[in-house]
DNA sequence: GGCGCCCCTTGACTTTGGTCAGGGTCAAAA
DNA sequence: TTTTGACCCTGACCAAAGTCAAGGGGCGCC
């Protein structure tokens, strides 16, 4: 579960000759892994040895589906990086239903906010697809922050971007009807600007419904209605006949 | 519009004998103003001279209602602190309606996120109640960030808290029916935990409706329904008969 | 095969929020 | 005084999402 030489040696220095300790269930190791972690907006451009030190105080976790990482109210003394698999952050409504706030896919991180502000997780986190995670402790992280002021600045920018994403989601929830939110979600899965696109849903429909803020029955109906607009969905693969025209439809009046 | 001695001399050092330059339309000046600015979570605990330097490169603005501070797409090379009055951040839907994302009241700040991430404002900002603002330039701010690493850390924490607020709002939008969102909004206006409470709405019903994501007609109906639950509203003052029981109602099933 | 489980879909019905139109109150302007 | 405009409420109607119930298809397992 951990690297042979250190708690977690993800970032061998260029001249390191030791064989990379493979992480369970995750294909990338050593340099490839390092490249992935450094691809996180959070750590983008971080110096090699700073990252090395950070990772040395972290642990890698291999978690099965349905593992509960933490519950709301738990002390947040670390945050997580998703290398593989998926993790959902959700709340429980008083009547026992769960509402999914976010789903994290590789490569992304979550929990920094809770860790740095209140020190308490406000939501529950559960692995929904067998996952490989890195757990980064608060102390190590703060040390890193202080060792290099560029890190703090970069992290600030990264949080700001995230902030924008959240506030645009609020906008969408308020001003778009559900079918447009679904359509935009699908469109976000492809880079294509024109013509046809074939995308595959990153998770099942129950979760997708929760992400766009409707029930799964409504999602079914929405997808049925979208069929008339050239969105054919079978299983978890979706073919969009004309990306451009769908985008136009989404941009039109929420009415 | 600006302080007599400097672009903006909000923070006279203790031994400064110059008279405080009064800001138009804003009661607090000099030390009182400094106290207000330092009350911002963003600047909480900032050293006196650091703040002084920051403010020296800022400008104070007295803006009338309906002033457009910036439009979506404009270059974000500064952010704003609200000392007095109110500013709304909103988007325009394709059919010309506006949806308000946030309303800022004293003392708070906005625009940091846009400034630090993309450098472009994603929303429009308009003064909705005659306001006194401080406009802080990017360069000065970044200098401050770098001069004191504690600032960066504090700002990180502050952004994280904000992040939590946003993500809890997303939760509410998804899992609560409008009447609960309205009720929670009202409850957030009082500190009382039990018994009766008398609150006054910080802005008119049109804006309130937009904040909770419904139309003003719906808000009227919601307020009418809330009357049966002991929420009497006349004008912009609202009396809640039993805070405790209303809170309980809100916590119950969104169903 | 037969069974149960999971995921998804569909239909019938109910509830609710949006839309449109009308009207009321109040205060400032003409 | 009347007029105007800002703000708010209400009713009638409609479209859409939630709810409840039923059922289909795929898949692993005994």
């Amino acid at each position: 579960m951990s690297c042979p030489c250190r708690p977690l040696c993800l970032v061998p220095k260029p001249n390191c000759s030791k064989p990379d300790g493979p992480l369970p269930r995750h294909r990338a190791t050593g340099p490839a892994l390092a490249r992935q972690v450094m691809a996180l907006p959070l750590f983008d451009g971080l110096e090699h040895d700073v990252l090395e030190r950070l990772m040395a105080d972290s642990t890698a976790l291999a978690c099965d589906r349905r593992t509960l990482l933490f519950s709301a109210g738990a002390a947040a003394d670390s945050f997580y990086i998703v290398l593989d698999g998926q993790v959902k952050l959700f709340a429980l409504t008083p009547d026992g239903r769960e509402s999914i706030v976010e789903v994290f896919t590789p490569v992304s991180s979550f929990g920094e906010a809770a860790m740095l502000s209140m020190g308490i997780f406000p939501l529950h986190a559960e692995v929904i697809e067998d996952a490989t995670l890195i757990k980064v402790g608060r102390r190590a992280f703060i040390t890193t922050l202080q060792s290099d002021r560029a890190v703090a600045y970069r992290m600030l920018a990264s949080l700001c971007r995230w902030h924008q994403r959240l506030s645009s989601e609020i906008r969408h929830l308020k001003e778009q009807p559900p079918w447009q939110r679904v359509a935009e979600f699908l469109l976000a899965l492809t880079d294509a600007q024109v013509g046809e696109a074939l995308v595959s849903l990153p998770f099942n429909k129950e979760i997708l419904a929760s992400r766009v803020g409707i029930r799964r029955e409504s999602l079914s109906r929405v997808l049925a209605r979208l069929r008339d607009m050239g969105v054919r969905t079978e299983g978890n693969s979706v073919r969009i006949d004309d990306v451009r025209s769908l985008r136009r439809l989404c941009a039109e009046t929420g009415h």
Side-chain angles (χ1 to χ4, degrees), chain A residues 10-178:
Chain A
L10 293 177
V11 199
K13 292 198 175 137
N15 57 2
C16 167
S17 61
K18 281 185 206 158
D20 296 330
L23 271 176
R25 182 183 300 128
H26 185 66
R27 290 153 307 281
T29 58
L33 200 46
R35 231 177 295 119
Q36 287 200 352
V37 173
M38 290 168 78
L40 269 176
L42 199 57
F43 296 136
D44 179 41
L46 202 57
E47 280 78 15
H48 200 271
D49 56 334
V50 177
L51 187 54
E52 164 100 340
R53 244 177 300 130
L54 181 61
M55 287 298 119
D57 271 335
S58 307
T59 33
L61 306 172
C63 302
D64 292 332
R65 198 179 124 105
R66 288 174 199 253
T67 303
L68 187 68
L69 289 175
F70 51 77
S71 301
D77 44 11
S78 50
F79 75 97
Y80 296 82
I81 300 174
V82 182
L83 293 179
D84 199 32
Q86 293 185 352
V87 177
K88 73 175 172 192
L89 255 59
F90 65 102
L92 287 178
T93 59
D95 55 336
R97 262 206 300 256
E98 65 181 37
S99 98
I100 296 169
V101 176
E102 291 184 89
V103 176
F104 291 93
T105 53
V107 177
S108 60
S109 60
F110 63 92
E112 315 91 320
M115 186 180 84
L116 288 181
S117 59
M118 308 184 308
I120 284 179
F121 290 116
L123 297 170
H124 312 272
E126 185 186 313
V127 176
I128 56 175
E129 196 179 280
D130 293 352
T132 310
L133 308 172
I134 301 179
K135 184 174 177 177
V136 183
R138 164 188 241 145
R139 185 172 298 275
F141 183 65
I142 289 184
T143 307
T144 306
L145 271 190
Q146 291 177 338
S147 75
D148 181 359
R149 62 171 48 117
V151 185
Y153 182 68
R154 219 146 30 217
M155 179 155 179
L156 224 46
S158 146
L159 269 180
C160 286
R161 268 188 298 273
W162 197 359
H163 179 285
Q164 312 246 28
R165 264 203 31 229
L166 289 185
S167 99
S168 104
E169 187 166 347
I170 290 178
R171 238 158 42 71
H172 289 332
L173 283 170
K174 286 197 208 169
E175 70 194 35
Q176 283 190 324

Side-chain angles (χ1 to χ4, degrees), chain A residues 179 183 186-187 190 195-199 222-234 237-247 249:
Chain A
W179 73 263
L186 296 178
L187 287 170
T190 179
E196 178 183 289
L198 193 67
V199 304
V222 164
L223 288 177
R225 272 213 297 156
L226 282 178
R227 231 177 292 282
D228 305 337
M229 308 191 212
V231 180
R232 248 164 299 285
T233 149
E234 45 198 45
S237 79
V238 181
R239 115 178 285 110
I240 304 172
D241 285 345
D242 186 349
V243 172
R244 183 183 210 78
S245 82
L246 188 59
R247 278 193 209 281
L249 282 176

